[in-house]
Amino acid sequence: MSKVKTKKHSTFIDMTAMSDVTVLLLTFFMLTANFIKKEPTQIVTPGSVSEQKIPDSNIMTLLIDKTGRVYMTLDRRDNKLAVLEEIGKDYNITFTPEQKKSFLDQPTIGVPVSILPKFLDMRLEQQDEVLREYSIPTDSTNNQLRQWIQHTIAINSDINIGIKADETTPYPFVKNVLDILMDLKQYRYHLITTLEA
Amino acid sequence: MAEVNTGGGGEQKKGKPKKMTLRVDFTPMVDMNMLLITFFMFCTSLAKPQAMEIGMPVKDDLKAEEKSKVKDDKAITIILDGENKVYYYLGMPNYTDYTSLKESSYGGIDDPKSLRTMLTNRNRIAIQKINRLRDMKNRKEIKDDYYKEEVSKIKNAKDGQAVIIKPTDKSSYQNLVDVLDEMAICQIGIYAIDDPKEGDLWLVKNLESGGELAAKSEL
């Protein structure tokens, strides 16, 4: 019996092409990336046919989750700082530089002012946990949301207002926020939705 | 892992420089890239969320004459109720006839009961005009700016279709956005969001009970 000679093939695969493709993909993702912002609650926005884009910058977003909790985000840091100082004046609270820095690092505004200094002393990871338990009070007797919005508008009158509510949010919660905006003479705002297929 | 192989093999003549084939193994590089891609895919959102811009009427400046600008026969009141129910009536509420309030749905154009069917029928002329304009724009006969101007003129025409949206406390945010969507689809420029009045809620109850409430109050 003669031995069947198998030719020894090199298992070396040229990865150059593969590498080219992945680098291209990577570049694409890096260029189109806009990072998902951290939000204290999960909000599923309703679908709509509207094809307008929300403004990129200079926007104040009001988040309303399905249990009616309200949070607020501000994208401009200088505004944020000024608003914090105004709120501090209202409640006679002076914030330390560390607290101010912590406020700027935390993207969401969402605790009652009474516990805000204590909240800002915590570490960022702890803050996220605490945020889930609190929200901005919006009752008529203690309407802190109104104060936050009022100060923001006073500082930056051109700010765009976005409302991001969960699709299952009962209407009265949304109406409450809309009424506050109406009260502050803000009649134009954006309802944030996702594009329906 | 990079390899530098001497090519050719076999014996080489003296004096001739060795032929070098340079081969670099790209596998780790690809691995790393793939990891990075996965990271970017999970941590970014490609689609930007959409927005609907709405302008609310200015409360204080609304004069009596402006309020009555909308003709009664051109107004439709849509009442959003819980459990995705939606009702509408035309013109002024008619408390004596319970069938004046009609139940509708959020369905598409193929549903004869849906809001879209009703509104497209009512607003047919405006929709036709806008479609014609859009065709002209697509054929590049008119400019974009002109198109926008004309469309807003048609939408905000004084005798145009007006809609009043009244979400009840039981309705959800999704319902509101759906109805606002219908406004955009049916090219309705004049619409307002209002609180339902007692009469409106009564109408809904009356319809649900098949006119019993009206019969009772007459007794």
Side-chain angles (χ1 to χ4, degrees):
Chain A
M1 290 286 278
S2 63
K3 277 181 194 166
V4 183
K5 267 192 186 170
T6 45
K7 221 182 178 185
K8 262 195 187 168
H9 280 289
S10 156
T11 50
F12 201 96
I13 306 165
D14 190 9
M15 281 286 177
T16 325
M18 179 85 168
S19 168
D20 286 354
V21 173
T22 51
V23 168
L24 264 178
L25 268 174
L26 191 60
T27 329
F28 169 75
F29 275 105
M30 278 169 81
L31 289 179
T32 56
N34 42 52
F35 285 88
I36 303 167
K37 283 181 196 113
K38 218 169 28 176
E39 282 169 3
T41 52
Q42 204 185 4
I43 288 173
V44 185
T45 51
S48 86
V49 292
S50 169
E51 280 172 17
Q52 273 182 337
K53 299 277 176 206
I54 48 168
D56 281 320
S57 55
N58 199 11
I59 184 166
M60 163 170 81
T61 320
L62 302 169
L63 305 168
I64 311 168
D65 84 343
K66 50 189 159 203
T67 53
R69 288 184 301 181
V70 183
Y71 301 95
M72 187 174 142
T73 61
L74 277 170
D75 72 332
R76 279 177 54 175
R77 290 171 78 88
D78 52 333
N79 284 173
K80 235 177 142 178
L81 203 62
V83 171
L84 182 72
E85 270 161 16
E86 287 296 316
I87 283 284
K89 268 184 217 161
D90 283 359
Y91 287 84
N92 286 321
I93 304 169
T94 31
F95 294 98
T96 61
E98 290 83 48
Q99 284 171 338
K100 279 179 189 164
K101 194 184 168 295
S102 162
F103 185 73
L104 288 179
D105 289 340
Q106 171 59 252
T108 323
I109 303 170
V111 289
V113 180
S114 52
I115 65 157
L116 191 60
K118 227 169 88 189
F119 172 77
L120 292 177
D121 284 336
M122 292 176 200
R123 287 205 328 277
L124 213 57
E125 302 90 73
Q126 269 179 304
Q127 286 185 4
D128 291 339
E129 266 171 50
V130 175
L131 260 181
R132 274 183 222 125
E133 288 159 35
Y134 291 97
S135 67
I136 305 178
T138 53
D139 345 320
S140 50
T141 49
N142 181 19
N143 203 335
Q144 290 179 6
L145 181 68
R146 190 177 187 281
Q147 281 174 307
W148 283 109
I149 301 174
Q150 196 173 19
H151 289 311
T152 313
I153 295 162
I155 288 156
N156 182 353
S157 55
D158 301 326
I159 201 157
N160 296 298
I161 303 171
I163 294 175
K164 191 173 181 184
D166 193 274
E167 54 182 1
T168 53
T169 310
Y171 180 66
F173 293 132
V174 183
K175 185 176 153 10
N176 187 15
V177 174
L178 297 188
D179 281 348
I180 292 170
L181 289 174
M182 196 89 106
D183 206 35
L184 293 168
K185 301 210 179 343
Q186 297 299 313
Y187 301 107
R188 296 203 78 83
Y189 34 78
H190 302 266
L191 300 180
I192 298 173
T193 54
T194 39
L195 189 66
E196 221 165 45
Chain B
M1 290 276 277
E3 288 174 21
V4 180
N5 292 342
T6 47
E11 282 167 41
Q12 298 235 335
K13 276 179 189 169
K14 274 180 191 171
K16 257 196 179 175
K18 272 186 183 174
K19 251 194 185 172
M20 308 274 276
T21 51
L22 187 71
R23 254 189 148 178
V24 184
D25 189 3
F26 273 102
T27 325
M29 168 98 166
V30 170
D31 287 355
M32 188 198 67
N33 281 345
M34 283 293 189
L35 267 176
L36 275 171
I37 289 174
T38 340
F39 167 75
F40 272 99
M41 276 169 83
F42 280 119
C43 297
T44 60
S45 56
L46 278 180
K48 261 193 84 181
Q50 312 291 309
M52 274 179 154
E53 201 176 356
I54 58 169
M56 289 297 224
V58 183
K59 246 182 195 166
D60 314 328
D61 301 353
L62 210 65
K63 292 178 193 106
E65 49 191 292
E66 278 185 54
K67 269 185 183 167
S68 58
K69 210 164 68 178
V70 176
K71 284 182 197 160
D72 280 348
D73 59 320
K74 272 290 178 188
I76 297 176
T77 307
I78 298 176
I79 302 170
L80 316 181
D81 205 5
E83 291 158 28
N84 293 329
K85 277 182 188 160
V86 59
Y87 305 92
Y88 70 91
Y89 61 81
L90 310 173
M92 294 295 283
N94 182 353
Y95 296 111
T96 47
D97 179 14
Y98 75 90
T99 52
S100 67
L101 186 75
K102 291 181 180 62
E103 192 173 347
S104 186
S105 74
Y106 296 105
I109 196 87
D110 42 327
D111 180 358
K113 253 175 61 180
S114 73
L115 280 178
R116 195 173 305 171
T117 317
M118 187 268 290
L119 288 172
T120 20
N121 280 336
R122 301 272 304 179
N123 205 24
R124 197 181 305 119
I125 301 164
I127 293 175
Q128 273 169 5
K129 272 188 198 162
I130 289 172
N131 282 345
R132 213 173 301 142
L133 277 172
R134 191 186 294 141
D135 284 348
M136 278 162 78
K137 191 192 73 161
N138 288 344
R139 288 201 301 268
K140 302 244 158 70
E141 281 167 28
I142 50 172
K143 282 195 179 123
D144 267 16
D145 294 348
Y146 178 76
Y147 167 76
K148 272 180 197 155
E149 206 176 287
E150 285 298 303
V151 166
S152 84
K153 246 190 231 169
I154 295 169
K155 275 187 166 183
N156 296 315
K158 272 191 179 157
D159 55 344
Q161 183 65 55
V163 175
I164 302 156
I165 304 163
K166 292 184 173 177
T168 65
D169 288 355
K170 281 180 272 176
S171 63
S172 72
Y173 180 62
Q174 168 87 62
N175 297 148
L176 179 69
V177 172
D178 280 348
V179 172
L180 291 177
D181 248 5
E182 296 301 326
M183 299 299 117
I185 294 168
C186 303
Q187 311 287 3
I188 288 164
I190 311 168
Y191 57 87
I193 302 171
D194 200 3
D195 298 332
K197 305 282 175 303
E198 240 173 79
D200 298 320
L201 300 175
W202 185 86
L203 273 174
V204 173
K205 270 189 199 151
N206 193 18
L207 178 73
E208 275 170 357
S209 61
E212 260 175 47
L213 279 181
K216 258 186 217 163
S217 60
E218 266 170 31
L219 288 174

